[in-house]
């Protein structure tokens, strides 16, 4: 397995793990209060939609010339990854609160308890729709990452397998804990995913623009190290500032 | 029309987020890299440098609460 392939699988696994922790919190929060049947059917339906997106869009992108594909995927990953990395830096620098899974779980349960009861198609409609939307929206980011990672490197199967493995691990953990997965180092994982997305975006974007990286794929770990160093210095600089910046970024 | 706008808004938020300058900077940097490589300059250093500057700018730029 080459360096870039290992990093693609790791990136898909970590991104999927982070998003699935949030999705599992929603499903368990709703399921505990409103009952499991509708919540699980909602989650299952959303998972089917996400899998269908990967199956349809992934192979469709293979007809696009690889250079053009890498340019577009690189640009999208850079714009998307820089959002993740900026939020991670602001969180680590103390300017944005860390994401609190226990608090999210409590809020989810409160809203589920307060919502009116409405039955449609034999389902508790609130539990179904909240689970469906939660899994779909969190999963869309994973699908985007899997398709972009997989198509730019021609390793869609491996990227999808990495993401699927994370789903299995997180769901199993959720079943065992039956509560918020607050012990998962979610903020650290988000930082790592932001670094990987931005680094791959930089690598593929530049390749798509015609660049030949010194050392080819070996430049990828160097790029990750460089961006980590930049983000580390930014975190240190933020921590030295006396007054936090007003920020619209959410955890 | 509302659905079309909502769909567009969703993808804009998804990809661009709350700082369009970052996405614009990425597009400009990629365009410049492409231009340089077509002129025979292997500008591998340009994109990492611009990305570092864009990240610093995005982190320190004050935002609406």
């Amino acid at each position: 397995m080459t360096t870039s392939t290992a990093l693609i699988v790791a990136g898909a696994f970590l991104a999927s793990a982070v998003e699935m922790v949030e999705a599992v919190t929603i499903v368990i929060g709703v399921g505990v209060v409103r009952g499991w049947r509708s919540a699980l059917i909602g989650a299952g339906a959303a998972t089917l939609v996400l899998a269908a997106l990967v199956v349809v869009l992934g192979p469709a992108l293979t007809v696009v010339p690889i250079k053009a594909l890498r340019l577009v995927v690189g640009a999208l990953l850079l714009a998307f990854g820089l959002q993740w990395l900026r939020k991670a830096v602001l969180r680590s620098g103390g300017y944005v609160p860390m994401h609190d899974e226990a608090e999210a779980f409590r809020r989810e349960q409160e809203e589920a308890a307060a919502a009116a009861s409405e039955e449609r198609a034999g389902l508790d409609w609130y539990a179904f729709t909240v689970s469906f939307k939660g899994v779909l929206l969190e999963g869309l980011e994973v699908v985007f990452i899997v398709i972009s990672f997989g198509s730019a490197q021609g390793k869609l199967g491996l990227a999808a397998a990495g993401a699927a493995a994370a789903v299995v691990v997180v769901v199993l953990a959720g079943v065992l804990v039956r509560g918020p997965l607050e012990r998962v180092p979610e903020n650290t994982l988000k930082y790592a995913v932001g670094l990987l997305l931005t680094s791959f975006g930089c690598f593929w974007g530049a390749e798509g623009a015609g660049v030949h990286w010194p050392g080819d794929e070996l430049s990828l770990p160097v790029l990750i190290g460089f961006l980590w160093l930049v983000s580390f210095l930014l975190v240190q600089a933020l921590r030295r500032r006396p007054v936090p910046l007003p920020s619209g970024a959410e955890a | 029309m509302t659905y079309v706008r909502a769909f567009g808004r969703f993808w804009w938020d998804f990809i661009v987020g709350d700082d369009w300058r970052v996405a614009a900077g990425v597009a400009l940097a990629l365009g410049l890299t492409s231009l340089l490589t077509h002129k025979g300059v292997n500008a591998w250093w340009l994109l990492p440098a611009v990305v570092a500057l864009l990240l610093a700018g995005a982190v320190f730029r004050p935002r609406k609460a």
Side-chain angles (χ1 to χ4, degrees):
Chain A
M1 188 182 276
T2 63
T3 310
S4 67
T5 305
L7 287 170
I8 283 169
V9 176
F13 181 89
L14 292 176
S16 177
V18 166
E19 298 299 338
M20 283 309 106
V21 164
E22 294 181 9
V24 163
T25 295
I26 294 169
V27 174
I28 294 179
V30 172
V32 164
V33 176
R34 311 278 302 205
W36 290 104
R37 185 172 164 269
S38 299
L40 290 177
I41 290 174
T47 307
L48 284 179
V49 171
L50 294 170
L53 280 175
V54 174
V55 169
V56 172
L57 289 179
L61 288 177
T62 56
V63 299
V64 180
I66 191 69
K67 204 171 165 182
L69 187 67
R70 286 187 173 176
L71 183 64
V72 173
V73 162
L76 292 175
L77 277 179
L78 269 175
F80 190 64
L82 277 167
Q83 288 186 64
W84 277 60
L85 198 50
R86 176 177 64 83
K87 286 177 187 170
V89 168
L90 288 171
R91 265 187 228 110
S92 298
Y95 279 73
V96 168
M98 293 284 185
H99 185 78
D100 185 346
E101 213 54 47
E103 171 61 21
F105 184 70
R106 190 191 55 74
R107 207 169 44 240
E108 201 62 59
Q109 282 191 306
E110 278 179 8
E111 287 172 9
S117 201
E118 182 188 355
E119 194 174 303
R120 282 195 213 174
L123 297 168
D124 175 346
W125 202 242
Y126 178 87
F128 174 82
T129 51
V130 170
S131 275
F132 180 81
K133 276 198 233 171
V135 174
L136 188 69
L137 291 177
E138 302 294 348
L140 268 180
E141 296 199 40
V142 180
V143 167
F144 174 76
I145 291 166
V146 165
I147 289 176
S148 54
F149 273 29
S151 59
Q153 197 69 14
K155 309 270 186 198
L156 184 66
L158 277 175
V167 172
V168 171
V169 170
V170 173
V171 168
L172 277 177
V175 169
L176 289 173
V177 174
R178 291 229 175 174
L181 299 171
E182 52 194 310
R183 291 174 72 181
V184 174
E186 209 177 330
N187 294 294
T188 308
L189 290 182
K190 284 185 174 180
Y191 200 143
V193 173
L195 269 178
L196 285 175
L197 292 175
T198 310
S199 302
F200 269 110
C202 211
F203 184 77
W204 284 325
E207 274 202 337
V211 158
H212 295 286
W213 286 97
D216 288 324
E217 285 189 358
L218 288 178
S219 60
L220 196 49
V222 178
L223 201 50
I224 294 170
F226 169 70
L227 289 174
W228 173 80
L229 182 64
V230 169
S231 61
F232 174 78
L233 292 174
L234 289 172
V235 169
Q236 299 308 312
L238 279 179
R239 285 180 178 166
R240 287 200 191 94
R241 287 170 76 102
V243 182
L245 292 170
S247 175
E250 289 170 11
Chain B
M1 189 62 191
T2 310
Y3 288 112
V4 175
R5 284 188 68 180
F7 186 75
R9 183 80 214 169
F10 170 79
W11 285 105
W12 176 269
D13 288 342
F14 192 71
I15 303 292
V16 176
D18 55 3
D19 195 347
W20 61 268
R21 294 172 192 84
V22 171
V26 164
L28 276 175
L30 281 170
L32 191 55
T33 304
S34 186
L35 196 69
L36 285 171
T37 52
H38 277 90
K39 298 232 177 236
V41 181
N42 187 23
W44 59 267
W45 39 266
L46 181 62
L47 204 51
V50 172
V51 165
L53 291 174
L54 287 173
L55 181 62
V59 164
F60 286 107
R61 191 176 299 122
R63 273 158 229 296
K64 287 177 196 166

